[in-house]
Amino acid sequence: MNLGRDVRPTRLIAVLLIGPAFLVALVLMALLRFHLADAGINGFLAMSFTLKPIKAFGVQYGLRILLPVYVMAGLFSWILAYLPGLLTRPAWSRDWKGRQAFAMGASALLWAHLVLWWKVPTALWVLPGFRALPFWLLFPVLVALALAYPIGWLLRQAPATPGRRGLTLAGWLVLWTALPLLPGWLPRPAPAARPGDRKCQVLMVGLDGLRSDTFLESAGGLQGLRYRNAYTPIPATRLLWHLLWGGDPLFYTIGHVGATLDEIRQPHGLTLIRDAYQQGEKPRFYMDDGGTISLAGRHVDMDDVITPAAGWENFVNSNLAVGFPIYAVWENWLKPFPTTNPWAPHEAGLKEALRLGRGSGWVMFHSCLAHQPIFLDRQELKGVHRWWAMSPAAFEPRASVQQVKPTDVQAPDPRRNPFLAYKIRMNSILRAWEPIWNGLARDPDYAGAARFLFSDHGERFRTVVDGFQLQGNHGYGLDPWELRCAFLAAGPGFSDRVEPQPREATISLLALRMAVAHWLRTKEAPTAAILERQLPVAPVRYHSVGSDAFGKEPFDFKCEPEKDLAVNTYVAPEGIWYLEYTKSAEERAHDASVARAEGSALTVFRPLKAGGAMEFVYDGYEMKKAREVDEATFRKEKAAVEDLLKASTEPKP
């Protein structure tokens, strides 16, 4: 390719600066956004990046990963602008100038981003200034910005014919549009599956934060037995999976999101994973956001574990990639496992987990596609009436009451409700998964397996005023919104048909653990009868976190303020982190809240600082009773729940 006989250094510098300059603009907008953030994941990231080790990791990540992607994107943007331009001006191969290359390449790169924003319009709320314009105006403005210089350049190229100019413009638009779409067309360099000759006996598919009521509304086409009354033993993803792997229930129901120093120094045996591995079942675990589980840098008895990245980088990929669209789409192609940024296909992670799981007796996949905040794509926005008349800013959820503005609550717009976006997203994921899930009954590697689709916990959308809710959250306390979870079981011992009515039996996710333990001990595959007889009463225990971000609690509960949760946070250079708690596990256990569920009835006991506890009784999602009980009653109820947790280590025959 002849880019000019006199390729002066200034021209090459201009070309190489296209991508970095664009990246700097995106970084500045991201910094402004995080500077203004005071709650939610944005606030957490903003606070974290003030710490020296994390700041160093962020700089290194930007230079090592983001910058090369944008340098290459800028270079290709100029090439894809230069080649069609020769149709209008052949002499351009000799006399193009650096400023022309920079302006034309930047225009091409802006158009490439515009294509991605067109696919996911709500991603535009991360752009300060632009976010305030309604979509019907914003997209024409962006189109005008992207094409102003190229069209002006074409008009200046006399005596070129209108036909040549039109052909050049068409070539630009086709090639610039192909640039961001290319990763979706290319075969992904995925890792090779590990060898194995086992037929899958147990398949676990987890969808983070899927509430029971939302699941039952959206799961009508999924094959298997749907359960109405399923409960998690703890509303924290990492701890729930450790329980399913055989972790001690009395240890893993005391903790929070981050891995702890106790776990690093004194790892508690994950007995089911160990037994499965020793029996040659080749247990394998895959996840599209590995930061939630914290397995990086730790030894576990699994035949295979793959996540998009290790440690801290997962939070960057999942939560910051929305601000860097070109990086995001190439990230979906470059990472060893599909990730969860707004341009990630909903079905990619499940398909990849099933591919990599072939040959294993126990295959597990967990997806975080519905992590908050949710960025709805164009297809999903069809569920929002007249979305195009709204602005991107209208889709930004509020993470705390401190972020709520007077205009938010004066005349709430139901289209802005984050619970609506959540329901649309969950429905979208389940629809994308439906043909894959239903096809497993005919798949020779999975047809004989007991197949479970469940959530690790629910999600609570706290109401500020009627019609206005905060974004979804979990892991703060015990209530039916967080504890009632999705549960679907399919396979020979359950059903391979679309069942019209959900089952009413009580299911604790600890019963799933017990059914797997029964299988490993007896080689008897899980069935509905085995599963349903394990724990007729579902136990729950959790050390509640202070919820000041959602308003003042009506009672003075014992809980740990978020800012006082850990006395130290350790961050390794590769982005692995763990916490040292201010209180010992025994102290935290003494102050833990507990709950028990039977059918649709859920009873929660939250200890009070003055002694005793508040007892809350729910039927489904409706509170039926609230009363104060004395310390002796609370200790008795707490001991009963802890006895049930102990019993979950021994499966019933």
Side-chain angles (χ1 to χ4, degrees), residues 367-648:
S367 177
C368 298
L369 285 167
H371 269 184
Q372 302 288 321
I374 290 170
F375 296 91
L376 296 178
D377 63 30
R378 178 167 293 278
Q379 291 300 313
E380 291 170 327
L381 281 170
K382 292 178 180 178
V384 180
H385 180 62
R386 289 171 53 87
W387 66 270
W388 43 266
M390 302 168 67
S391 69
F395 288 92
E396 180 183 8
R398 305 290 186 246
S400 72
V401 293
Q402 289 79 13
Q403 292 179 309
V404 176
K405 302 174 182 177
T407 53
D408 293 331
V409 297
Q410 286 170 355
D413 185 344
R415 298 176 299 173
R416 296 185 58 184
N417 194 329
F419 187 40
L420 173 62
Y422 166 87
K423 290 193 292 184
I424 291 173
R425 170 55 52 86
M426 287 301 188
N427 182 272
S428 180
I429 296 169
L430 292 174
R431 294 290 71 76
W433 286 9
E434 185 178 303
I436 305 169
W437 176 265
N438 290 350
L440 294 175
R442 302 180 299 277
D443 188 309
D445 285 309
Y446 293 99
R451 306 185 294 274
F452 303 99
L453 192 160
F454 59 92
S455 58
D456 46 349
H457 48 72
E459 195 83 348
R460 184 172 183 180
F461 295 79
R462 297 171 188 259
T463 299
V464 179
V465 298
D466 287 344
F468 187 86
Q469 293 176 285
L470 301 178
Q471 76 174 32
N473 64 77
H474 58 268
Y476 285 90
L478 303 184
D479 54 64
W481 299 275
E482 296 185 45
L483 299 182
R484 294 178 66 88
C485 56
F487 197 86
L488 174 74
F494 298 93
S495 173
D496 280 331
R497 300 181 305 167
V498 177
E499 298 295 337
Q501 293 296 327
R503 293 172 75 89
E504 303 294 334
T506 304
I507 296 292
S508 168
L509 293 185
L510 288 173
L512 176 56
R513 162 208 173 108
M514 297 167 77
V516 171
H518 180 79
W519 161 61
L520 290 172
R521 180 178 299 178
T522 67
K523 295 306 174 185
E524 183 180 359
T527 65
I530 292 173
L531 181 73
E532 292 176 12
R533 69 171 175 251
Q534 297 302 319
L535 277 174
V537 176
V540 183
R541 188 173 72 155
Y542 189 55
H543 184 210
S544 298
V545 179
S547 55
D548 292 345
F550 315 123
K552 184 173 176 56
E553 292 267 29
F555 304 98
D556 200 9
F557 295 116
K558 287 182 179 178
C559 60
E560 191 74 27
E562 286 183 282
K563 62 182 178 62
D564 298 333
L565 183 62
V567 66
N568 281 311
T569 302
Y570 300 88
V571 183
E574 63 271 32
I576 301 169
W577 71 99
Y578 44 91
L579 304 175
E580 183 177 4
Y581 282 126
T582 54
K583 295 181 180 179
S584 68
E586 291 75 16
E587 289 177 296
R588 298 198 308 275
H590 187 269
D591 293 338
S593 301
V594 296
R596 49 179 165 78
E598 191 168 4
S600 63
L602 171 68
T603 304
V604 176
F605 295 90
R606 295 191 60 187
L608 296 164
K609 288 183 179 179
M614 286 300 300
E615 176 188 12
F616 301 97
V617 179
Y618 300 88
D619 182 19
Y621 292 94
E622 183 181 357
M623 184 187 292
K624 293 295 185 182
K625 182 174 68 173
R627 64 168 185 153
E628 187 173 345
V629 298
D630 59 27
E631 186 70 15
T633 301
F634 171 60
R635 293 297 159 193
K636 180 181 177 181
E637 295 287 352
K638 187 167 179 291
V641 168
E642 290 169 348
D643 286 343
L644 287 170
L645 291 172
K646 293 175 187 175
S648 70

Side-chain angles (χ1 to χ4, degrees), residues 31 45-63 312 316 571-573:
L31 290 176
L45 289 171
M47 176 191 68
S48 298
F49 273 104
T50 62
L51 303 176
K52 186 176 180 180
I54 298 177
K55 185 184 296 184
F57 177 83
V59 171
Q60 184 251 3
Y61 182 85
L63 294 176
W312 178 261
V316 178
V571 183

Side-chain angles (χ1 to χ4, degrees), residues 286-349:
Y286 307 102
M287 186 173 180
D288 53 22
D289 181 356
T292 299
I293 295 294
S294 303
L295 287 179
R298 297 174 57 191
H299 170 75
V300 290
D301 294 315
M302 291 192 197
D303 186 60
D304 197 22
V305 175
I306 301 180
T307 62
W312 178 261
E313 187 179 330
N314 285 283
F315 282 108
V316 178
N317 297 339
S318 297
N319 299 288
L320 288 182
V322 65
F324 307 97
I326 286 289
Y327 164 71
V329 294
W330 281 101
E331 173 195 36
N332 293 337
W333 188 80
L334 290 167
K335 293 298 179 183
F337 195 84
T339 183
T340 60
N341 68 60
W343 293 273
H346 292 163
E347 71 282 358

